[in-house]
Amino acid sequence: MWIIVLFDLPTDTKQARKQYTKFRGFLLDDGYTMMQYSVYMRHSSSDENAKVHVKRVKQKLPPDGEVRIVKITDKQFGKIEVFYGKKRRPIEPPP
């Protein structure tokens, strides 16, 4: 099971940038890696384990902005197509 966190947070004030940095730091500390800007992913061994991590994200939501959480299976994750320019590259290997 993969958890993907997508977020769009304001960075127009010093306080907003602090909230952004704090949320991003939480994700990194909780085992997420950056998939691309404002998109972080984490592998979980089961749906039950994924629910624990989703609950942690919900507890750390910043006061402003938008956060979305998507859970997908290993099989679905393996079907992601990644392109850099027009060249296709393989996806990240699972842990």
Side-chain angles (χ1 to χ4, degrees), residues 2 5 8 14-15 17 36 44 48-50 55 71 77 79 88 92:
W2 289 86
V5 178
D8 186 15
K14 186 175 181 177
Q15 181 63 23
R17 286 188 296 276
Q36 59 188 66
S44 293
E48 292 78 24
N49 184 259
K55 185 177 178 182
K71 294 189 304 183
F77 186 84
K79 292 181 180 181
R88 187 175 191 293
E92 299 84 354

Side-chain angles (χ1 to χ4, degrees), residues 12-77:
D12 55 339
T13 66
K14 186 175 181 177
Q15 181 63 23
R17 286 188 296 276
K18 186 175 180 178
Q19 293 288 343
Y20 172 92
T21 301
K22 185 177 178 182
F23 184 68
R24 183 180 178 279
F26 158 74
L27 292 174
L28 294 171
D29 290 344
D30 198 40
Y32 290 83
T33 57
M34 189 170 77
M35 193 172 191
Q36 59 188 66
Y37 291 119
S38 298
V39 180
Y40 286 72
M41 64 182 181
R42 182 188 202 290
H43 188 265
S44 293
S45 58
S46 66
D47 189 46
E48 292 78 24
N49 184 259
K51 287 177 184 176
V52 170
H53 289 283
V54 168
K55 185 177 178 182
R56 288 182 190 171
V57 172
K58 288 179 180 179
Q59 292 172 343
K60 298 293 185 174
L61 290 174
D64 297 313
E66 181 178 353
V67 177
R68 295 175 187 237
I69 303 170
V70 179
K71 294 189 304 183
I72 61 173
T73 64
D74 289 337
K75 186 174 182 179
Q76 291 168 322
F77 186 84

